[in-house]
Amino acid sequence: MQAIRTIAKDLLWVGASDRRLNLFENLFPVPEGVSYNAYVLLDEKTVLLDTVDQAVEPQFLENVAAALAGRALDYVIVNHMEPDHCATLASLLLRHPEAKVVGNAKTFQLIRQFFSLELGERAVVVKEGDTLSTGRHTLRFAFAPMVHWPEVMVTFDETDGTLFSADAFGTFGALAGCVLEEEVAFGPAQMAEARRYYANIVGKYGPQVQALLKKAAALPISRICPLHGPIWQGEAIAPFVAKYDTWSRYAPEETGVVIAYASMYGHTASAAYSAAARLAEAGVKNIAMHDLSVTDVSYVIADLFRFSHALLAAPTYNNGLYPKMQALLHDMQALNVQNRTVALIENGSWAPVAGKLMRAALEGMKDMRVLDETVTLRSAADADAAAALDRLVAALAASLQG
């Protein structure tokens, strides 16, 4: 049975949601699932903008058929060739041999790689600024390379002001009939998933996102239709675009501290909790705390994009750094986390090196300020460690306050 939504008089949402998926990209937990958005424009020519993941193919194909209502499909625009948006492309083209495929040169290279398809005269290769008239609507194409694949482009409907934004402005989370932002009561929990989506999927490519934002700023956008998550309209657009501007400049959203700790037997964790209590006592209100052995690293990365400061605590392990902390630092570097102030707690029963290794990793990142007051635990905290923790908390609180 079809499950489509009317977005405008001639624009339909024909996507689908997956609530059975545990790991997006087989990597990121999605406890609330994920949506795969696709859109049908009904004009003198009919247009499908993007397809969906193979997991929701039956629903998608039924939705497209219902939206077309017996009409031929004239064009399929491929804004992004990642499999969660293109896995059903070959199946769709078998059902619609009349359809032409619109994309850029890199799009068709990836189509050949994924499907061994040579589309011949069915391929419509576009360049930056090219347009496609479908009757009442004029669609203009703009390239957005590395947001977050090299072939990515966006499609702007000059007639209605709709930006089909590929993976930009997307969020984690399945949809439940309500596909517009104002219908889903988009609040702090949803924003947290939008931030986690951005930080882990697109976060590495801040300069490229800034380039896309500059292009978008020159357009009279009235609606943003992303490939994941709700559709943005009217007054909701500017605040969300502002979030993308902040995230892509690697500027903190808020003054606060992320405490991320790894602990084998509880002593390092105890020091981290003591630091949290002392920070709160000093008047620090925004504190997020993560046990790296329990919390998926994607949530920690999201909070690092959110807050201005961090406290990292880890033991020495096999004369190196505890693997869970090593994994976090690896992701921080890979995702270009920068422009933060960080304090360190290390532990080591006989040859502590965790602090030195964490500091070296952080100093290899851009604009990271590492406080001098590293706390060293020798197995468990003693009076000297407690005094050092007081000094570290004082320095961190002073930095947070000014």
Side-chain angles (χ1 to χ4, degrees):
M1 183 175 292
Q2 62 88 359
I4 63 179
R5 283 293 311 275
T6 301
I7 305 306
K9 66 179 181 179
D10 48 9
L11 179 63
L12 302 175
W13 178 89
V14 294
S17 286
D18 187 354
R19 286 180 167 78
R20 295 184 177 183
L21 184 68
N22 291 318
L23 297 173
F24 184 77
E25 294 187 351
N26 209 24
L27 187 61
F28 305 109
V30 280
E32 301 301 323
V34 67
S35 74
Y36 303 107
N37 300 340
Y39 306 92
V40 166
L41 184 64
L42 298 171
D43 202 355
E44 293 175 20
K45 300 290 187 181
T46 60
V47 183
L48 172 66
L49 293 109
D50 294 292
T51 62
V52 298
D53 188 87
Q54 198 166 35
V56 294
E57 179 176 10
Q59 183 68 69
F60 166 69
L61 293 175
E62 190 165 356
N63 287 351
V64 172
L68 291 172
R71 293 184 63 180
L73 178 60
D74 294 298
Y75 295 106
V76 181
I77 295 174
V78 181
N79 288 305
H80 184 22
M81 266 299 296
E82 196 169 5
D84 57 331
H85 307 299
C86 79
T88 54
L89 179 62
S91 297
L92 179 97
L93 293 177
L94 283 174
R95 286 164 173 77
H96 293 279
E98 77 282 8
K100 293 184 177 180
V101 179
V102 181
N104 58 64
K106 290 181 179 178
T107 305
F108 291 103
Q109 176 185 337
L110 288 170
I111 288 175
R112 288 190 291 271
Q113 291 175 196
F114 277 114
F115 303 117
S116 299
L117 277 178
E118 293 292 343
L119 293 171
E121 294 183 354
R122 297 178 71 182
V124 179
V125 183
V126 296
K127 301 184 294 298
E128 176 80 25
D130 282 355
T131 60
L132 174 68
S133 175
T134 64
R136 188 176 79 87
H137 294 265
T138 298
L139 305 178
R140 184 176 295 274
F141 305 102
F143 289 5
M146 299 318 301
V147 186
H148 59 123
W149 276 28
E151 89 302 348
V152 172
M153 65 183 194
V154 299
T155 301
F156 182 63
D157 183 345
E158 294 183 342
T159 305
D160 285 352
T162 300
L163 178 68
F164 299 93
S165 62
D167 267 349
F169 309 112
T171 75
F172 290 138
L175 298 174
C178 299
V179 300
L180 303 177
E181 179 273 337
E182 62 263 33
E183 296 176 331
V184 301
F186 199 90
Q190 290 76 25
M191 184 59 74
E193 286 297 81
R195 183 186 300 108
R196 189 165 68 94
Y197 173 89
Y198 175 89
N200 290 278
I201 305 298
V202 191
K204 179 180 178 68
Y205 303 108
Q208 291 84 353
V209 173
Q210 282 286 307
L212 176 59
L213 291 175
K214 286 183 175 64
K215 291 182 181 181
L219 301 173
I221 297 171
S222 61
R223 179 184 297 119
I224 297 178
C225 291
L227 291 179
H228 297 291
I231 295 164
W232 300 86
Q233 296 188 138
E235 294 180 356
I237 292 175
F240 196 54
V241 171
K243 290 288 188 184
Y244 260 64
D245 179 53
T246 298
W247 296 334
S248 59
R249 288 185 292 106
Y250 303 100
E253 281 181 74
E254 302 176 39
T255 299
V257 58
V258 185
I259 300 177
Y261 68 88
S263 189
M264 294 172 64
Y265 299 111
H267 299 102
T268 307
S270 178
Y273 274 97
S274 180
R278 294 170 195 227
L279 283 167
E281 191 74 24
V284 178
K285 295 186 179 356
N286 281 346
I287 301 173
M289 198 154 191
H290 299 288
D291 181 341
L292 295 177
S293 294
V294 175
T295 304
D296 184 82
V297 71
S298 67
Y299 292 92
V300 187
I301 291 292
D303 275 340
L304 286 165
F305 269 76
R306 179 182 180 187
F307 290 122
S308 57
H309 291 64
L311 171 59
L312 306 182
T316 299
Y317 191 81
N318 284 339
N319 295 319
L321 185 57
Y322 196 69
K324 293 292 185 178
M325 181 59 73
Q326 187 70 57
L328 171 61
L329 289 165
H330 175 272
D331 274 14
M332 289 173 63
Q333 186 169 44
L335 294 168
N336 273 343
V337 174
Q338 56 189 264
N339 189 31
R340 300 296 188 268
T341 299
V342 186
L344 300 175
I345 298 173
E346 67 170 350
N347 198 342
S349 291
W350 58 90
V353 296
K356 178 180 72 174
L357 295 174
M358 287 189 286
R359 181 177 294 272
L362 291 163
E363 290 176 346
M365 303 176 199
K366 185 177 179 181
D367 295 332
M368 299 295 270
R369 299 170 293 280
V370 185
L371 298 180
D372 292 333
E373 294 82 358
T374 297
V375 174
T376 298
L377 307 179
R378 292 281 187 166
S379 302
D382 55 14
D384 289 341
L389 192 61
D390 282 336
R391 292 191 294 271
L392 179 143
V393 166
L396 189 55
S399 177
L400 281 157
Q401 291 162 3

